[in-house]
């Protein structure tokens, strides 16, 4: 009789572990997630929570993802970066129509901007944007931002980022996106 109860107890123990162990692991990950450092596959820095920016939102008819470039000053480096972002959009192939390039500049910058949508920002706009970005601890100038079709800024890159990193992130976003 004792020989038969050992396999039954072992089976019951294993069956209980099948249900209890995943629940326990889920509980630990839910409450202690910041303690773990999981590797992410994105190259940009995620903004948590995403910042809704009315100024960057496109019309409801457009519904496009945006790559927003906010240069610190208009110079040769700015032109080179704009050319790189233009080529990045072309490299998206059939998905390039889903992405809009936006340039945040002041009135002193020249008018020639490849295929960028030009947003002229006033000092008040810069101040408002900087206040929003300060809450997320992001410096506003010389950054490249990714904005979703409803105007949520959700990721940013330093101005000197490798364009291939942006391309890979944008391709992932477009692949899983149901909007835009």
């Amino acid at each position: 009789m004792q020989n038969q109860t050992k396999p039954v107890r072992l089976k019951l123990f294993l069956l209980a572990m099948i249900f209890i162990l995943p629940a326990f692991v889920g509980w630990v990950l839910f409450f202690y997630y910041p303690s773990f450092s999981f590797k992410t596959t994105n190259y940009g820095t995620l903004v948590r929570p995403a910042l809704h920016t009315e100024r960057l939102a496109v019309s409801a008819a457009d519904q496009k993802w945006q790559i927003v470039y906010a240069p610190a000053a208009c110079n040769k480096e700015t032109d080179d970066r704009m050319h790189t972002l233009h080529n990045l959009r072309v490299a998206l192939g059939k998905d390039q129509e889903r992405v809009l390039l936006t340039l945040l500049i002041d009135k002193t910058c020249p008018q020639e901007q490849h295929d960028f949508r030009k947003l002229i920002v006033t000092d008040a706009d810069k101040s408002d944007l900087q206040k929003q970005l300060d809450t997320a601890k992001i410096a506003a100038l010389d950054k490249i931002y990714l904005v979703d079709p409803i105007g949520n800024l959700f990721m940013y890159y330093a101005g000197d980022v490798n364009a291939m990193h942006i391309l890979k992130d944008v391709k992932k976003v477009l692949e899983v996106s149901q909007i835009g």
Side-chain angles (χ1 to χ4, degrees), residues 118-168:
K118 184 177 174 183
L119 282 180
I120 296 176
V121 290
T122 63
D123 290 337
D125 291 336
K126 284 182 188 177
S127 157
D128 289 344
L129 182 61
Q130 188 59 54
K131 283 178 190 174
Q132 278 190 308
L133 294 174
D134 282 344
T135 61
K137 297 179 176 71
I138 306 169
L141 294 179
D142 204 30
K143 297 275 190 266
I144 298 169
Y145 304 104
L146 293 185
V147 179
D148 70 10
I150 56 177
N152 294 320
L153 185 149
F154 67 94
M155 189 178 290
Y156 70 94
Y157 304 86
D160 59 352
V161 68
N162 182 345
M164 290 305 292
H165 292 168
I166 300 172
L167 179 64
K168 288 177 184 177

Side-chain angles (χ1 to χ4, degrees), residues 28-38 48:
V28 168
L29 288 176
F30 181 78
F31 287 106
Y32 298 102
Y33 180 78
S35 302
F36 300 103
S37 58
F38 296 109
R48 290 189 183 154

Side-chain angles (χ1 to χ4, degrees), residues 74-151:
C74 293
N75 53 27
K76 177 71 171 123
E77 285 181 28
T78 303
D79 290 340
D80 292 344
R81 177 61 58 190
M82 287 169 43
H83 183 71
T84 301
L85 290 174
H86 167 76
N87 289 341
L88 181 146
R89 183 174 175 265
V90 170
L92 289 171
K94 66 179 174 126
D95 286 331
Q96 70 180 323
E97 294 304 318
R98 296 176 64 191
V99 177
L100 182 67
L101 298 174
T102 302
L103 183 65
L104 293 180
I105 55 174
D106 57 16
K107 291 180 182 178
T108 61
C109 287
Q111 297 294 323
E112 170 96 22
Q113 281 91 25
H114 302 287
D115 60 348
F116 279 76
R117 175 179 79 132
K118 184 177 174 183
L119 282 180
I120 296 176
V121 290
T122 63
D123 290 337
D125 291 336
K126 284 182 188 177
S127 157
D128 289 344
L129 182 61
Q130 188 59 54
K131 283 178 190 174
Q132 278 190 308
L133 294 174
D134 282 344
T135 61
K137 297 179 176 71
I138 306 169
L141 294 179
D142 204 30
K143 297 275 190 266
I144 298 169
Y145 304 104
L146 293 185
V147 179
D148 70 10
I150 56 177

